[in-house]
Each structure stands twice: as C-alpha cells, then as structure tokens.
Amino acid sequence: EGTESVGEAVEYTITGIEAGAGITEATKNALSEYENLSGWEQETSSTAAMITELGEAIDNEEPIIVAGWSPHYKFAQYDLKYLEDPKGVYGEAENINTIARKGLEEDMPGAYTILDRFKWGVEDSEAFLLESLESEFEEVAQQWVDEHQEDVAEWTEGVEQVDGTELEIALAPWDSERAPANILKIVLEQHGFNVTLTTVDPAVMFEAIASGDADASPSAWLPITHSAFYEDYKEDIVDLGPNLEGAKTGLVVPSYMEIDSIEDLKA
Ligand code: PBE
C-alpha cells in the first residue's frame, strides 16, 4: 500500500465527464502534452457518474483524479484542490460568455440589451448551485431574481415590454449553465418575452447560434474550454463578453492527496 504510486492506485485513469464536453477535449490535450501522463487514460461517462465516484473515493479516503470545474457545488461539499498546470493546458483566466446570433440586436433590441448586461459572479453561482441541491432549479432561479432586484434593475433599465415575442436560449447541459439560463428566462419573461430553453452539447450550441436556430446562449466557456467550437463559428456569432469571470477547469483531487501538480502524476 504505502509504496503504491498514485498512478497505480487510480489505474492510470482520470475520471472524466461527457464525451462532448469542452473539458474532455482539454483533458485529451493534457494527456498528450504532459510526458508523465503517457499511458494514462481519460474515462468519460457523465457528470453524475464523476460526482458519484468522487464522493465514494472521498468516503474511503482513496485517491481519485477528476476533470473538474468552477463554478460547481463540489467545492462547497468537499475539500478539493486543482492540480497546478505548468503547461497551461487548461488556460489561465477562463470566463463564461454570452453569445448571440447575428441580427438579434436589430430584431429584439430589448432582449439583446438584457443578455448583454447580464453578469454575476462565481460566488453567486456557487451559492445558487448549492441551493439547487435542496430545491427545484426554477424555484432557486425565482428566488435569486427576487433577492437581487438591484442587479435585475441594472440589466433591464430602459428596456421596453414586448408582447410574447419568442426567444430561444440554447444552453449546455451542466448546472453552471442551467443557472444563468433560468435566471435570464425569468428576467426576459418579466419583460414580455416567451423564452424557450433548449439544452444541447456545446458543439451543437455554437452551431445553433451560428445558424440562427437559437437566439443566444449564456454558456460559452472561453477562451479555452470551448475554443475549438468557437473557432469554427466565430465569424457567424456575436460575442457579448463574459457573464461570469473567474471560471476554471482542470484536474481536481481531494485535498488529502499529497500531490500538487499534474507533473506529480507519475507512472
Ligand atoms: N464544463 C461545465 C463544460 C462547460 C460547463 C466545464 C463541464 C464543458 O464544456 O466542459
């Protein structure tokens, strides 16, 4: 036991999430860029499975290495740390941006204004996500809007009411994306829009905004996590900038593990 390496203990496996996630691509890049990770694999499945495995490992104080990100409630539930990433594979400052289809500003200036102004913080988001473990997502969103009327007033100042204009928001299937989408749905509906939320993989989300099938999305992780999708579609979308600054992705381990860097993951 005592002499077993971290690699042996985790069977040279990083516990990943959905195959279509941006972080799955970043982790593939990490596996090819860090020489000490040659022979390691990423096991993809689902976010729910990753969270279950993480919880089980922590219950047994066993080692585990997961593809992780913030904002996420796991940092409030468990004592975790990001492994240092000296090669910068997961990037430095990551943000969550709002993107819109071309022409939205002309077609629905009020909605565009609200989408453009919407902004909150990592702490807001993590408090929201923790709350959502106890209550329905829609209820948490309503409560957040009720309790943040000053922010909402800033986002909506001068925006005129419309009468049932349809608006489609595309979002990626993670809670960090469901949170802003549900807040925006409530705020936009208070201004008379009829909002549909459509959940799709990130690649499809960018494609839908570029083709105009969807109007906007508050879940573009840039500049790194969704860079491959962004590069494909950037000429055909409008980037409204960050709605959340200070997001992060990387390899995450329980704090009791005695390693600090991706380079410490030795065979
Ligand atoms: N995530 C959470 C997503 C975006 C939101 C980091 C898991 C990803 O595409 O990797």
Side-chain angles (χ1 to χ4, degrees):
E1 260 284 292
T3 56
E4 194 183 43
S5 71
V6 178
E8 275 175 303
V10 300
E11 294 174 355
Y12 309 102
T13 301
I14 290 163
T15 305
I17 58 165
E18 287 80 358
I23 197 174
T24 302
E25 291 305 311
T27 300
K28 279 184 203 163
N29 294 340
L31 289 175
S32 63
E33 289 193 30
Y34 282 93
E35 279 161 30
N36 56 299
L37 289 180
S38 85
W40 284 61
E41 282 174 19
Q42 171 174 216
E43 181 183 78
T44 54
S45 57
S46 68
T47 296
M50 180 275 279
I51 293 295
T52 301
E53 286 187 40
L54 179 64
E56 285 173 2
I58 288 173
D59 284 345
N60 299 314
E61 259 199 61
E62 284 168 357
I64 185 167
I65 301 139
V66 305
W69 65 95
S70 325
H72 194 282
Y73 62 79
K74 59 187 175 285
F75 291 95
Q77 282 189 318
Y78 301 120
D79 221 344
L80 302 171
K81 62 186 176 189
Y82 280 96
L83 293 181
E84 286 158 25
D85 171 23
K87 291 185 191 283
V89 173
Y90 293 94
E92 306 245 308
E94 186 76 351
N95 300 311
I96 308 179
N97 286 22
T98 302
I99 55 175
R101 69 167 169 84
K102 286 197 167 167
L104 185 70
E105 184 171 16
E106 294 74 38
D107 298 346
M108 302 182 205
Y112 182 92
T113 298
I114 293 173
L115 288 158
D116 192 23
R117 289 178 182 160
F118 166 67
K119 196 164 185 186
W120 66 339
V122 175
E123 281 171 25
D124 288 317
S125 176
E126 287 193 334
F128 184 115
L129 298 175
L130 206 53
E131 193 74 31
S132 74
L133 296 176
E134 310 285 323
S135 324
E136 290 298 319
F137 232 83
E138 291 74 10
E139 281 171 33
V140 182
Q142 185 63 58
Q143 198 185 327
W144 199 93
V145 168
D146 293 345
E147 287 171 2
H148 293 81
Q149 282 298 306
E150 277 184 28
D151 297 293
V152 174
E154 279 178 28
W155 309 334
T156 59
E157 197 198 335
V159 172
E160 282 171 25
Q161 285 286 327
V162 295
D163 189 12
T165 306
E166 302 280 341
L167 184 94
E168 183 166 339
I169 291 182
L171 63 140
W174 292 279
D175 289 353
S176 45
E177 331 309 315
R178 291 172 65 212
N182 275 277
I183 289 172
L184 280 167
K185 177 175 160 74
I186 292 169
V187 173
L188 287 160
E189 290 193 337
Q190 287 175 346
H191 284 75
F193 292 93
N194 187 3
V195 179
T196 308
L197 300 184
T198 305
T199 305
V200 288
D201 275 355
V204 179
M205 172 182 105
F206 279 85
E207 197 273 327
I209 304 295
S211 67
D213 282 350
D215 295 300
S217 172
S219 33
W221 283 56
L222 293 168
I224 296 286
T225 311
H226 292 161
S227 56
F229 316 128
Y230 180 73
E231 284 304 316
D232 283 347
Y233 296 108
K234 66 181 177 196
E235 307 301 333
D236 298 311
I237 62 180
V238 182
D239 181 3
L240 304 183
N243 62 58
L244 180 144
E245 288 179 85
K248 191 166 168 62
T249 67
L251 295 184
V252 170
V253 301
S255 299
Y256 54 74
M257 284 179 71
E258 285 170 2
I259 52 171
D260 295 307
S261 166
I262 297 177
E263 290 185 332
D264 296 335
L265 295 171
K266 297 278 158 54

